[in-house]
Amino acid sequence: MKRHLSVYAMLWRNSLVREMTFKTNFILWIVVELCWFALQLTFISVIYLHTESIAGWSKWQVVMLIGAAHFIQEIFQALFLINCTNLSELVRTGKLDFLLLLPVNTRFLVSVRQVDLGSFVNAAIALGVMVYAARQLGFVPSALQIAAFLLLCAAGIAIHYSLMFLLATISFWTVRAQGIVWAYYNLFNVSRLPDSAFRGWFKVVFTFALPMLLVSNVPVRALTDRLESPFDILLLFSLTLLCLGLSELGWRFSVRHYTSASS
Amino acid sequence: MNKYAYVIGIGLQNTLVYRVNFLFRACFGLIPLMATIFLWRAIFEGKTGDTVAAYSLAEMISYYLVVTIVDALTAVTDDDWQIAADIRDGQISQFLLKPIDYLRYRFCLFLSGRFIYTSIAFVPVTLFILFQAEYFVLPADAATLGLFLISVALTALLQFLISYTMALLAFWILEISTFIFILFALEHLAGGHLFPLDLLPPAFGQVLAFTPFPYQMYFPVSIYLGKTAGPELWQGLIIQLFWVTAAYLLARWVWRRGIRRYAAVGG
């Protein structure tokens, strides 16, 4: 455990050095993410020019939801996204051999090799938007609510990570898995929307199979005391464990099929 | 046989390699579309009137379905990245030596890429529209459909030329992916991918009317839905044609300037 921590500290240092080599690019990527965040907020503001509420959610409640979804997505991006998309490259070139030989847990190393520091800046901006929305609602959360919110966000991040990592392990079978990994991006769009707008099969699939309607809705509902039942929290945590377990099974199964490449 | 016909042939073969990726992209793209439809249904249910900014629920859902169709027909997906890579890696040198025009060459590849993508996306998108058939509005008459198709063709030209010019910035800047993404975000919002532009407060709409963005998506869709008709429609088509011409001249000009700067790295 201690060794893993020191390895992780080293990886952070490396990422920092790498980012600082291309400073302009570092800042431009922050701007790109900011643009897409602004886009989502504009969309919601325009819709609320024409309606008072969407399925029981007021404007600033939805802004909080979008902020939370963006916060979760940015932290996920900071810690795991590049590593998930890089897995197919490691398999294709056979560089995974080298990582398998190191005296550290390989999944750990593959999952956290690079840290995208710019995403932390955007995560902070997302929190800023949430605070602003909370003030518009005249709402001051208690310490307990904030703690619950952060814990539930962590569960949401773990779900995104597990599912995308599971998708990335497909690259052990087909070279062009990157497209599949990027397809996951479409799911983030679902996690930004109020859960009560959805019905029928869509709600069932995106609650229980791909829990996109839980990952950011439950944290926001817990924060603002709008949970319909404590059962939602239990469901989010159980599904987090299930996803983590599934992705570990998928990873072990895939590594057993790894045959290396041209090295 | 015309040399550009060969280019189209090669383009068709090359893009066929990505058919599985295209199928994934088309199918996964339907998930956010479905989510948007649910969102609008919830909005209409919560309202007292039948319309939002003169859109009925069916018209609103049709708006997004037609956007999906126009997007499949006209969106630039990989072309700008390839052009930038050609310039960065010095691949473009060979086009300077051959009797081939790079813009036309690229346009042929764009056409073949769109043809393959549309053919592959056709089945999932059609099934999806049939699934939403009760909300799918057809164009008022054959003339509307014809004008819609003309406008879609102009949209494709405009999308291509703007992305092409953007990618040529690689002559000056080494890493242009951030610029491509920022432009893409702008087109997404100001073009009307996210919501019909007449939902905006009129002042914003009037400002946007002076930019090419509405003509990259919103304009043809509004023709389809009959939101733009009569003299306004003809005026719009002329403006769209104007933007296509302007984008073409700009593309040619930027190319001439870029070639002068070109250092043939690694070529």
Side-chain angles (χ1 to χ4, degrees), chain A residues 238-260:
Chain A
S238 336
L239 284 170
T240 309
L241 290 178
L242 185 71
C243 289
L244 280 170
L246 270 179
S247 78
E248 182 63 20
L249 280 180
W251 164 251
R252 290 194 184 172
F253 181 67
S254 308
V255 171
R256 232 176 290 145
H257 280 253
Y258 179 58
T259 49
S260 185

Side-chain angles (χ1 to χ4, degrees), chain A residues 173-187:
Chain A
W173 281 275
T174 159
V175 184
R176 297 208 174 273
Q178 266 185 339
I180 304 170
V181 174
W182 287 116
Y184 187 82
Y185 244 72
N186 288 304
L187 298 182

Side-chain angles (χ1 to χ4, degrees), chain A residues 208-221:
Chain A
F208 297 102
L210 296 163
M212 291 305 128
L213 292 175
L214 298 177
V215 287
S216 33
N217 274 282
V218 175
V220 170
R221 280 180 179 274

